[in-house]
Short mmCIF file of all heavy atoms in Angstrom, two decimals:
data_model
loop_
_atom_site.label_atom_id
_atom_site.label_comp_id
_atom_site.label_asym_id
_atom_site.label_seq_id
_atom_site.Cartn_x
_atom_site.Cartn_y
_atom_site.Cartn_z
N MET R 516 0.84 -1.18 0.00
CA MET R 516 0.00 0.00 0.00
C MET R 516 0.88 1.24 0.00
O MET R 516 2.02 1.19 0.46
CB MET R 516 -0.87 0.04 1.26
CG MET R 516 -1.99 -0.94 1.28
SD MET R 516 -3.21 -0.67 2.59
CE MET R 516 -2.28 -0.19 3.99
N LYS R 517 0.30 2.34 -0.46
CA LYS R 517 0.99 3.62 -0.46
C LYS R 517 0.07 4.70 0.12
O LYS R 517 -1.13 4.69 -0.14
CB LYS R 517 1.36 4.05 -1.88
CG LYS R 517 2.44 3.23 -2.51
CD LYS R 517 2.77 3.80 -3.88
CE LYS R 517 3.85 2.97 -4.54
NZ LYS R 517 4.24 3.54 -5.83
N PHE R 518 0.66 5.60 0.90
CA PHE R 518 -0.03 6.80 1.34
C PHE R 518 0.49 7.92 0.45
O PHE R 518 1.69 8.15 0.37
CB PHE R 518 0.29 7.11 2.80
CG PHE R 518 -0.35 8.39 3.27
CD1 PHE R 518 -1.64 8.37 3.77
CD2 PHE R 518 0.32 9.59 3.20
CE1 PHE R 518 -2.25 9.54 4.20
CE2 PHE R 518 -0.27 10.76 3.61
CZ PHE R 518 -1.56 10.75 4.13
N LEU R 519 -0.42 8.59 -0.26
CA LEU R 519 -0.03 9.65 -1.18
C LEU R 519 -0.63 10.98 -0.73
O LEU R 519 -1.81 11.05 -0.38
CB LEU R 519 -0.54 9.32 -2.59
CG LEU R 519 -0.07 7.98 -3.15
CD1 LEU R 519 -0.83 7.64 -4.41
CD2 LEU R 519 1.41 8.00 -3.40
N LEU R 520 0.19 12.01 -0.75
CA LEU R 520 -0.26 13.36 -0.45
C LEU R 520 0.20 14.25 -1.59
O LEU R 520 1.40 14.31 -1.88
CB LEU R 520 0.33 13.86 0.87
CG LEU R 520 0.06 15.33 1.22
CD1 LEU R 520 -1.42 15.57 1.48
CD2 LEU R 520 0.89 15.73 2.43
N GLU R 521 -0.75 14.88 -2.24
CA GLU R 521 -0.42 15.77 -3.35
C GLU R 521 -1.00 17.15 -3.05
O GLU R 521 -2.20 17.28 -2.77
CB GLU R 521 -1.00 15.24 -4.65
CG GLU R 521 -0.61 16.05 -5.85
CD GLU R 521 -1.08 15.42 -7.15
OE1 GLU R 521 -1.99 14.58 -7.13
OE2 GLU R 521 -0.52 15.78 -8.19
N VAL R 522 -0.13 18.17 -3.07
CA VAL R 522 -0.54 19.52 -2.74
C VAL R 522 0.02 20.47 -3.81
O VAL R 522 1.22 20.43 -4.11
CB VAL R 522 -0.01 19.94 -1.35
CG1 VAL R 522 -0.37 21.37 -1.04
CG2 VAL R 522 -0.52 19.00 -0.27
N THR R 523 -0.84 21.30 -4.37
CA THR R 523 -0.42 22.32 -5.33
C THR R 523 0.07 23.54 -4.55
O THR R 523 -0.65 24.05 -3.70
CB THR R 523 -1.60 22.72 -6.25
OG1 THR R 523 -2.02 21.55 -6.94
CG2 THR R 523 -1.18 23.79 -7.24
N MET R 524 1.29 23.98 -4.84
CA MET R 524 1.92 25.01 -4.02
C MET R 524 2.11 26.34 -4.74
O MET R 524 2.76 27.23 -4.21
CB MET R 524 3.28 24.51 -3.54
CG MET R 524 3.17 23.29 -2.66
SD MET R 524 4.76 22.66 -2.12
CE MET R 524 5.51 24.08 -1.40
N ASP R 525 1.53 26.52 -5.91
CA ASP R 525 1.83 27.73 -6.68
C ASP R 525 0.73 28.79 -6.63
O ASP R 525 0.76 29.74 -7.38
CB ASP R 525 2.16 27.38 -8.12
CG ASP R 525 1.08 26.56 -8.81
OD1 ASP R 525 0.07 26.24 -8.16
OD2 ASP R 525 1.26 26.25 -9.99
N GLU R 526 -0.24 28.63 -5.71
CA GLU R 526 -1.31 29.63 -5.58
C GLU R 526 -1.65 29.86 -4.12
O GLU R 526 -1.37 29.03 -3.26
CB GLU R 526 -2.58 29.14 -6.29
CG GLU R 526 -2.45 29.01 -7.77
CD GLU R 526 -3.75 28.54 -8.40
OE1 GLU R 526 -4.73 28.33 -7.67
OE2 GLU R 526 -3.77 28.38 -9.62
N GLY R 527 -2.29 31.00 -3.85
CA GLY R 527 -2.85 31.29 -2.54
C GLY R 527 -1.87 31.23 -1.39
O GLY R 527 -0.71 31.61 -1.51
N ALA R 528 -2.36 30.70 -0.27
CA ALA R 528 -1.58 30.67 0.96
C ALA R 528 -0.30 29.84 0.81
O ALA R 528 0.73 30.17 1.41
CB ALA R 528 -2.43 30.12 2.10
N LEU R 529 -0.34 28.79 0.01
CA LEU R 529 0.87 27.97 -0.18
C LEU R 529 1.94 28.71 -0.96
O LEU R 529 3.13 28.53 -0.71
CB LEU R 529 0.52 26.66 -0.87
CG LEU R 529 0.01 25.61 0.12
CD1 LEU R 529 -0.95 24.67 -0.54
CD2 LEU R 529 1.18 24.87 0.73
N ALA R 530 1.55 29.56 -1.88
CA ALA R 530 2.53 30.35 -2.62
C ALA R 530 3.14 31.42 -1.72
O ALA R 530 4.33 31.73 -1.83
CB ALA R 530 1.89 30.99 -3.84
N GLU R 531 2.33 31.97 -0.82
CA GLU R 531 2.81 33.03 0.07
C GLU R 531 3.70 32.51 1.19
O GLU R 531 4.66 33.17 1.57
CB GLU R 531 1.59 33.75 0.68
CG GLU R 531 0.76 34.49 -0.34
CD GLU R 531 -0.57 34.94 0.21
OE1 GLU R 531 -0.72 35.03 1.44
OE2 GLU R 531 -1.47 35.21 -0.61
N ASP R 532 3.35 31.34 1.75
CA ASP R 532 4.11 30.77 2.88
C ASP R 532 4.12 29.25 2.76
O ASP R 532 3.42 28.55 3.49
CB ASP R 532 3.47 31.20 4.21
CG ASP R 532 4.21 30.68 5.42
OD1 ASP R 532 5.37 30.21 5.28
OD2 ASP R 532 3.63 30.73 6.52
N PRO R 533 4.91 28.72 1.82
CA PRO R 533 4.86 27.28 1.57
C PRO R 533 5.22 26.44 2.79
O PRO R 533 4.56 25.45 3.08
CB PRO R 533 5.83 27.05 0.41
CG PRO R 533 6.62 28.30 0.28
CD PRO R 533 5.84 29.40 0.92
N THR R 534 6.25 26.83 3.52
CA THR R 534 6.67 26.05 4.68
C THR R 534 5.60 26.06 5.76
O THR R 534 5.21 25.01 6.28
CB THR R 534 8.00 26.58 5.25
OG1 THR R 534 8.98 26.50 4.22
CG2 THR R 534 8.45 25.77 6.43
N GLY R 535 5.09 27.23 6.09
CA GLY R 535 4.06 27.34 7.12
C GLY R 535 2.79 26.60 6.76
O GLY R 535 2.18 25.93 7.60
N GLU R 536 2.36 26.72 5.52
CA GLU R 536 1.14 26.05 5.08
C GLU R 536 1.31 24.53 5.06
O GLU R 536 0.41 23.79 5.47
CB GLU R 536 0.69 26.54 3.71
CG GLU R 536 0.00 27.85 3.73
CD GLU R 536 -1.33 27.81 4.48
OE1 GLU R 536 -2.20 26.97 4.20
OE2 GLU R 536 -1.49 28.65 5.39
N LEU R 537 2.45 24.05 4.57
CA LEU R 537 2.67 22.60 4.59
C LEU R 537 2.73 22.07 6.02
O LEU R 537 2.21 20.99 6.31
CB LEU R 537 3.94 22.24 3.82
CG LEU R 537 3.81 22.26 2.31
CD1 LEU R 537 5.17 22.05 1.65
CD2 LEU R 537 2.82 21.21 1.83
N GLN R 538 3.36 22.81 6.92
CA GLN R 538 3.38 22.40 8.32
C GLN R 538 1.96 22.28 8.86
O GLN R 538 1.62 21.32 9.55
CB GLN R 538 4.18 23.39 9.17
CG GLN R 538 5.66 23.30 8.96
CD GLN R 538 6.41 24.39 9.71
OE1 GLN R 538 5.90 25.49 9.92
NE2 GLN R 538 7.62 24.08 10.13
N ARG R 539 1.13 23.27 8.58
CA ARG R 539 -0.24 23.26 9.06
C ARG R 539 -1.02 22.08 8.49
O ARG R 539 -1.72 21.36 9.20
CB ARG R 539 -0.94 24.57 8.69
CG ARG R 539 -2.32 24.73 9.34
CD ARG R 539 -3.14 25.80 8.65
NE ARG R 539 -3.41 25.47 7.25
CZ ARG R 539 -4.30 24.56 6.83
NH1 ARG R 539 -5.01 23.87 7.70
NH2 ARG R 539 -4.48 24.34 5.55
N ILE R 540 -0.88 21.86 7.17
CA ILE R 540 -1.58 20.75 6.53
C ILE R 540 -1.14 19.42 7.13
O ILE R 540 -1.97 18.56 7.45
CB ILE R 540 -1.34 20.77 5.00
CG1 ILE R 540 -2.12 21.93 4.37
CG2 ILE R 540 -1.71 19.44 4.35
CD1 ILE R 540 -1.72 22.24 2.94
N LEU R 541 0.16 19.21 7.31
CA LEU R 541 0.65 17.95 7.86
C LEU R 541 0.21 17.75 9.31
O LEU R 541 -0.14 16.63 9.71
CB LEU R 541 2.17 17.88 7.74
CG LEU R 541 2.68 17.75 6.30
CD1 LEU R 541 4.19 17.94 6.25
CD2 LEU R 541 2.28 16.40 5.71
N ARG R 542 0.22 18.81 10.11
CA ARG R 542 -0.25 18.70 11.51
C ARG R 542 -1.73 18.33 11.53
O ARG R 542 -2.15 17.44 12.27
CB ARG R 542 -0.06 20.02 12.26
CG ARG R 542 1.30 20.22 12.84
CD ARG R 542 1.32 21.38 13.84
NE ARG R 542 0.68 22.59 13.35
CZ ARG R 542 1.30 23.56 12.67
NH1 ARG R 542 2.58 23.47 12.41
NH2 ARG R 542 0.64 24.63 12.28
N TYR R 543 -2.52 19.04 10.74
CA TYR R 543 -3.97 18.79 10.73
C TYR R 543 -4.27 17.36 10.30
O TYR R 543 -4.99 16.64 10.98
CB TYR R 543 -4.67 19.78 9.81
CG TYR R 543 -6.16 19.52 9.75
CD1 TYR R 543 -7.00 19.99 10.74
CD2 TYR R 543 -6.70 18.76 8.72
CE1 TYR R 543 -8.36 19.73 10.70
CE2 TYR R 543 -8.05 18.49 8.68
CZ TYR R 543 -8.89 18.97 9.67
OH TYR R 543 -10.21 18.69 9.63
N TRP R 544 -3.75 16.95 9.16
CA TRP R 544 -4.07 15.62 8.66
C TRP R 544 -3.41 14.52 9.47
O TRP R 544 -3.96 13.43 9.59
CB TRP R 544 -3.77 15.51 7.17
CG TRP R 544 -4.86 16.18 6.41
CD1 TRP R 544 -4.79 17.37 5.74
CD2 TRP R 544 -6.21 15.76 6.31
NE1 TRP R 544 -6.01 17.70 5.24
CE2 TRP R 544 -6.91 16.73 5.57
CE3 TRP R 544 -6.90 14.65 6.79
CZ2 TRP R 544 -8.26 16.61 5.29
CZ3 TRP R 544 -8.25 14.55 6.50
CH2 TRP R 544 -8.90 15.52 5.77
N GLY R 545 -2.26 14.80 10.04
CA GLY R 545 -1.63 13.81 10.93
C GLY R 545 -2.54 13.48 12.10
O GLY R 545 -2.71 12.32 12.47
N GLY R 546 -3.15 14.49 12.67
CA GLY R 546 -4.07 14.28 13.78
C GLY R 546 -5.41 13.71 13.35
O GLY R 546 -6.08 13.01 14.11
N ASN R 547 -5.83 13.99 12.14
CA ASN R 547 -7.14 13.58 11.64
C ASN R 547 -7.15 12.15 11.11
O ASN R 547 -8.22 11.56 10.96
CB ASN R 547 -7.58 14.56 10.54
CG ASN R 547 -9.05 14.49 10.27
OD1 ASN R 547 -9.86 14.43 11.18
ND2 ASN R 547 -9.41 14.50 9.00
N LEU R 548 -6.00 11.58 10.82
CA LEU R 548 -5.96 10.24 10.21
C LEU R 548 -6.56 9.17 11.09
O LEU R 548 -6.99 8.13 10.60
CB LEU R 548 -4.51 9.88 9.84
CG LEU R 548 -3.92 10.67 8.68
CD1 LEU R 548 -2.45 10.32 8.50
CD2 LEU R 548 -4.70 10.45 7.40
N LYS R 549 -6.63 9.40 12.40
CA LYS R 549 -7.21 8.40 13.31
C LYS R 549 -8.68 8.12 12.99
O LYS R 549 -9.22 7.12 13.42
CB LYS R 549 -7.06 8.86 14.75
CG LYS R 549 -7.84 10.11 15.07
CD LYS R 549 -7.55 10.61 16.46
CE LYS R 549 -8.21 11.97 16.66
NZ LYS R 549 -7.63 12.67 17.78
N HIS R 550 -9.31 8.97 12.22
CA HIS R 550 -10.71 8.79 11.85
C HIS R 550 -10.89 7.93 10.60
O HIS R 550 -12.02 7.72 10.16
CB HIS R 550 -11.38 10.15 11.63
CG HIS R 550 -11.35 11.02 12.84
ND1 HIS R 550 -12.09 10.76 13.96
CD2 HIS R 550 -10.63 12.13 13.12
CE1 HIS R 550 -11.86 11.67 14.87
NE2 HIS R 550 -10.97 12.52 14.39
N TYR R 551 -9.80 7.45 10.05
CA TYR R 551 -9.84 6.64 8.83
C TYR R 551 -9.26 5.26 9.10
O TYR R 551 -8.36 5.10 9.92
CB TYR R 551 -9.03 7.31 7.71
CG TYR R 551 -9.63 8.61 7.24
CD1 TYR R 551 -9.32 9.80 7.88
CD2 TYR R 551 -10.54 8.64 6.19
CE1 TYR R 551 -9.88 11.01 7.48
CE2 TYR R 551 -11.11 9.84 5.77
CZ TYR R 551 -10.77 11.01 6.42
OH TYR R 551 -11.33 12.20 6.02
N ALA R 552 -9.76 4.26 8.39
CA ALA R 552 -9.26 2.89 8.53
C ALA R 552 -7.88 2.72 7.89
O ALA R 552 -7.20 1.74 8.16
CB ALA R 552 -10.25 1.90 7.92
N MET R 553 -7.51 3.65 7.03
CA MET R 553 -6.24 3.59 6.31
C MET R 553 -6.15 2.35 5.43
O MET R 553 -5.18 1.62 5.43
CB MET R 553 -5.04 3.70 7.26
CG MET R 553 -5.02 4.98 8.06
SD MET R 553 -5.15 6.48 7.05
CE MET R 553 -3.54 6.50 6.26
N ARG R 554 -7.22 2.15 4.68
CA ARG R 554 -7.28 1.07 3.70
C ARG R 554 -7.30 1.66 2.30
O ARG R 554 -7.66 2.83 2.13
CB ARG R 554 -8.55 0.25 3.91
CG ARG R 554 -8.55 -0.54 5.21
CD ARG R 554 -9.75 -1.44 5.25
NE ARG R 554 -10.98 -0.67 5.34
CZ ARG R 554 -11.81 -0.71 6.37
NH1 ARG R 554 -11.54 -1.48 7.40
NH2 ARG R 554 -12.90 0.01 6.36
N PRO R 555 -6.94 0.87 1.28
CA PRO R 555 -7.01 1.36 -0.08
C PRO R 555 -8.40 1.94 -0.37
O PRO R 555 -9.42 1.38 0.01
CB PRO R 555 -6.75 0.12 -0.93
CG PRO R 555 -5.87 -0.71 -0.05
CD PRO R 555 -6.41 -0.50 1.33
N GLY R 556 -8.40 3.11 -0.99
CA GLY R 556 -9.64 3.81 -1.29
C GLY R 556 -9.93 4.94 -0.32
O GLY R 556 -10.70 5.84 -0.64
N ASP R 557 -9.33 4.91 0.88
CA ASP R 557 -9.50 6.02 1.81
C ASP R 557 -8.78 7.24 1.26
O ASP R 557 -7.77 7.12 0.57
CB ASP R 557 -8.93 5.69 3.20
CG ASP R 557 -9.81 4.75 3.99
OD1 ASP R 557 -10.98 4.54 3.60
OD2 ASP R 557 -9.32 4.23 5.01
N GLY R 558 -9.28 8.41 1.60
CA GLY R 558 -8.65 9.64 1.16
C GLY R 558 -9.56 10.82 1.42
O GLY R 558 -10.71 10.66 1.83
N SER R 559 -9.03 11.99 1.17
CA SER R 559 -9.81 13.20 1.38
C SER R 559 -9.15 14.36 0.65
O SER R 559 -7.96 14.34 0.35
CB SER R 559 -9.90 13.53 2.86
OG SER R 559 -10.73 14.64 3.08
N VAL R 560 -9.95 15.39 0.42
CA VAL R 560 -9.46 16.64 -0.14
C VAL R 560 -8.65 17.36 0.94
O VAL R 560 -8.94 17.24 2.13
CB VAL R 560 -10.65 17.52 -0.60
CG1 VAL R 560 -10.20 18.89 -1.03
CG2 VAL R 560 -11.39 16.82 -1.72
N VAL R 561 -7.62 18.10 0.53
CA VAL R 561 -6.79 18.89 1.44
C VAL R 561 -7.04 20.37 1.15
O VAL R 561 -7.08 20.77 -0.01
CB VAL R 561 -5.29 18.55 1.24
CG1 VAL R 561 -4.40 19.47 2.05
CG2 VAL R 561 -5.03 17.09 1.58
N TYR R 562 -7.22 21.15 2.21
CA TYR R 562 -7.50 22.58 2.08
C TYR R 562 -6.38 23.40 2.71
O TYR R 562 -5.74 22.95 3.66
CB TYR R 562 -8.80 22.94 2.79
CG TYR R 562 -10.00 22.23 2.22
CD1 TYR R 562 -10.46 21.04 2.76
CD2 TYR R 562 -10.67 22.75 1.13
CE1 TYR R 562 -11.55 20.39 2.23
CE2 TYR R 562 -11.77 22.10 0.59
CZ TYR R 562 -12.20 20.92 1.15
OH TYR R 562 -13.28 20.28 0.61
N ASP R 563 -6.16 24.62 2.20
CA ASP R 563 -5.19 25.52 2.83
C ASP R 563 -5.89 26.29 3.96
O ASP R 563 -7.07 26.05 4.26
CB ASP R 563 -4.53 26.45 1.81
CG ASP R 563 -5.46 27.47 1.19
OD1 ASP R 563 -6.63 27.61 1.63
OD2 ASP R 563 -5.03 28.15 0.24
N SER R 564 -5.18 27.20 4.59
CA SER R 564 -5.73 27.93 5.73
C SER R 564 -6.86 28.87 5.35
O SER R 564 -7.61 29.32 6.21
CB SER R 564 -4.63 28.70 6.46
OG SER R 564 -4.02 29.63 5.59
N ALA R 565 -7.02 29.16 4.06
CA ALA R 565 -8.14 29.96 3.59
C ALA R 565 -9.29 29.07 3.11
O ALA R 565 -10.23 29.54 2.48
CB ALA R 565 -7.69 30.87 2.45
N TYR R 566 -9.20 27.77 3.40
CA TYR R 566 -10.21 26.78 3.04
C TYR R 566 -10.40 26.64 1.54
O TYR R 566 -11.49 26.36 1.06
CB TYR R 566 -11.55 27.06 3.75
CG TYR R 566 -11.37 27.06 5.25
CD1 TYR R 566 -11.33 28.25 5.95
CD2 TYR R 566 -11.19 25.87 5.94
CE1 TYR R 566 -11.13 28.27 7.32
CE2 TYR R 566 -10.97 25.87 7.31
CZ TYR R 566 -10.96 27.07 7.99
OH TYR R 566 -10.74 27.07 9.34
N ARG R 567 -9.31 26.82 0.80
CA ARG R 567 -9.32 26.55 -0.64
C ARG R 567 -8.76 25.15 -0.86
O ARG R 567 -7.76 24.78 -0.24
CB ARG R 567 -8.47 27.57 -1.39
CG ARG R 567 -9.12 28.95 -1.44
CD ARG R 567 -8.24 29.89 -2.21
NE ARG R 567 -7.05 30.14 -1.41
CZ ARG R 567 -6.60 31.34 -1.10
NH1 ARG R 567 -7.18 32.42 -1.56
NH2 ARG R 567 -5.52 31.49 -0.35
N GLU R 568 -9.36 24.40 -1.76
CA GLU R 568 -8.88 23.07 -2.08
C GLU R 568 -7.52 23.17 -2.76
O GLU R 568 -7.37 23.87 -3.76
CB GLU R 568 -9.87 22.37 -3.00
CG GLU R 568 -9.52 20.94 -3.28
CD GLU R 568 -10.57 20.23 -4.11
OE1 GLU R 568 -11.77 20.54 -3.96
OE2 GLU R 568 -10.17 19.38 -4.92
N VAL R 569 -6.52 22.50 -2.20
CA VAL R 569 -5.16 22.56 -2.75
C VAL R 569 -4.59 21.18 -3.08
O VAL R 569 -3.47 21.08 -3.57
CB VAL R 569 -4.20 23.30 -1.80
CG1 VAL R 569 -4.58 24.76 -1.69
CG2 VAL R 569 -4.13 22.64 -0.43
N GLY R 570 -5.34 20.13 -2.83
CA GLY R 570 -4.84 18.80 -3.13
C GLY R 570 -5.68 17.73 -2.50
O GLY R 570 -6.84 17.96 -2.14
N ARG R 571 -5.05 16.57 -2.31
CA ARG R 571 -5.75 15.47 -1.68
C ARG R 571 -4.75 14.45 -1.19
O ARG R 571 -3.61 14.40 -1.65
CB ARG R 571 -6.81 14.89 -2.60
CG ARG R 571 -6.44 13.80 -3.54
CD ARG R 571 -7.67 13.27 -4.30
NE ARG R 571 -8.32 12.18 -3.61
CZ ARG R 571 -9.44 12.25 -2.90
NH1 ARG R 571 -10.07 13.38 -2.75
NH2 ARG R 571 -9.97 11.19 -2.34
N TRP R 572 -5.18 13.63 -0.25
CA TRP R 572 -4.38 12.49 0.19
C TRP R 572 -5.20 11.23 -0.11
O TRP R 572 -6.42 11.28 -0.21
CB TRP R 572 -3.98 12.57 1.66
CG TRP R 572 -5.11 12.44 2.64
CD1 TRP R 572 -5.82 13.44 3.20
CD2 TRP R 572 -5.66 11.21 3.15
NE1 TRP R 572 -6.79 12.94 4.04
CE2 TRP R 572 -6.71 11.57 4.03
CE3 TRP R 572 -5.40 9.87 2.96
CZ2 TRP R 572 -7.46 10.62 4.70
CZ3 TRP R 572 -6.15 8.93 3.65
CH2 TRP R 572 -7.16 9.30 4.50
N SER R 573 -4.51 10.11 -0.27
CA SER R 573 -5.20 8.86 -0.53
C SER R 573 -4.34 7.68 -0.12
O SER R 573 -3.11 7.80 0.03
CB SER R 573 -5.56 8.74 -2.02
OG SER R 573 -4.39 8.72 -2.80
N VAL R 574 -4.99 6.56 0.07
CA VAL R 574 -4.30 5.29 0.32
C VAL R 574 -4.60 4.42 -0.90
O VAL R 574 -5.76 4.25 -1.27
CB VAL R 574 -4.80 4.61 1.61
CG1 VAL R 574 -4.12 3.26 1.80
CG2 VAL R 574 -4.56 5.51 2.81
N GLU R 575 -3.55 3.91 -1.51
CA GLU R 575 -3.69 3.11 -2.72
C GLU R 575 -2.96 1.79 -2.58
O GLU R 575 -2.03 1.68 -1.78
CB GLU R 575 -3.14 3.87 -3.93
CG GLU R 575 -3.90 5.14 -4.22
CD GLU R 575 -3.36 5.89 -5.42
OE1 GLU R 575 -2.38 5.41 -6.04
OE2 GLU R 575 -3.92 6.95 -5.73
N GLY R 576 -3.35 0.85 -3.38
CA GLY R 576 -2.67 -0.43 -3.41
C GLY R 576 -3.50 -1.52 -2.77
O GLY R 576 -4.70 -1.38 -2.56
N ARG R 577 -2.83 -2.61 -2.43
CA ARG R 577 -3.52 -3.77 -1.85
C ARG R 577 -3.31 -3.81 -0.35
O ARG R 577 -2.20 -3.57 0.14
CB ARG R 577 -2.95 -5.07 -2.43
CG ARG R 577 -3.23 -5.30 -3.84
CD ARG R 577 -2.76 -6.65 -4.30
NE ARG R 577 -2.02 -7.37 -3.27
CZ ARG R 577 -1.15 -8.33 -3.50
NH1 ARG R 577 -0.88 -8.68 -4.71
NH2 ARG R 577 -0.53 -8.94 -2.52
N ALA R 578 -4.31 -4.17 0.37
CA ALA R 578 -4.18 -4.44 1.79
C ALA R 578 -3.99 -5.95 1.94
O ALA R 578 -4.82 -6.73 1.49
CB ALA R 578 -5.42 -3.99 2.55
N ASP R 579 -2.88 -6.35 2.49
CA ASP R 579 -2.63 -7.81 2.65
C ASP R 579 -2.92 -8.25 4.06
O ASP R 579 -2.80 -7.59 5.01
CB ASP R 579 -1.18 -8.13 2.31
CG ASP R 579 -0.87 -7.91 0.83
OD1 ASP R 579 -1.80 -8.06 0.02
OD2 ASP R 579 0.28 -7.60 0.52
#
């Protein structure tokens, strides 16, 4: 299995403060992952601090 996180960094809050925004996104989703089974097909949209969609995370592959 793979955990994938894809974030577009060339607009909005991520363009203005890429390090700060990525830190915030990773902290938020790191804490929120406990609400997911972490099986293939799980995932969610990722938002910046202005609540604009900037990417998504997903779990892909086979669960053995």
Side-chain angles (χ1 to χ4, degrees):
M516 287 192 321
K517 290 183 181 183
F518 177 87
L519 304 169
L520 173 66
E521 184 174 20
V522 177
T523 300
M524 298 178 54
D525 55 359
E526 294 181 1
L529 277 150
E531 295 168 20
D532 181 14
T534 301
E536 281 295 307
L537 283 173
Q538 287 174 329
R539 189 197 62 75
I540 288 167
L541 291 169
R542 276 193 312 270
Y543 178 82
W544 283 108
N547 198 43
L548 290 175
K549 64 186 172 198
H550 300 290
Y551 294 87
M553 300 307 289
R554 292 187 293 244
D557 284 347
S559 184
V560 173
V561 173
Y562 299 94
D563 68 8
S564 60
Y566 302 103
R567 288 181 291 232
E568 186 176 326
V569 294
R571 89 175 270 103
W572 68 266
S573 63
V574 177
E575 296 180 1
R577 292 186 355 203
D579 293 331

